[in-house]
Amino acid sequence: IVGHTDMQGDLSNNLQLAQDRAKAVVEWLVEKHNVKKERLIPQGVGPLAPVASNESAAGKRLNRRVELVRR
């Protein structure tokens, strides 16, 4: 589970926000959908993998996301 952010603020805060975002999704999947916790690894990458430009509000919205990556 990979958490992402936009470029607003400093890198360390964005990395922590992204990590917290990924952990929240892990907790939700475990609690609400009975997914085994050992199958999930939360990781925050902050603004390091944008999917859109951070120069517009629309682009920033797209960059604030969580992705599930199959290993």
Side-chain angles (χ1 to χ4, degrees):
I1 309 293
V2 183
H4 300 269
T5 63
D6 59 26
M7 291 288 290
Q8 208 162 5
D10 65 36
L11 180 60
S12 63
N13 287 341
N14 276 312
L15 290 173
Q16 185 61 55
L17 175 59
Q19 184 69 27
D20 292 345
R21 198 170 272 167
K23 284 180 183 178
V25 171
V26 166
E27 290 172 14
W28 180 76
L29 289 169
V30 170
E31 292 173 14
K32 302 290 184 189
H33 296 281
N34 299 316
V35 177
K36 293 181 181 181
K37 191 170 186 171
E38 59 271 8
R39 295 183 63 205
L40 305 170
I41 302 169
Q43 183 63 54
V45 297
L48 301 178
V51 294
S53 170
N54 281 297
E55 294 181 15
S56 70
K60 287 179 183 181
R61 268 193 307 278
L62 291 171
N63 289 328
R64 294 187 293 259
R65 68 195 190 281
V66 175
E67 296 178 322
L68 280 67
V69 178
R70 187 175 180 178
R71 325 185 261 170

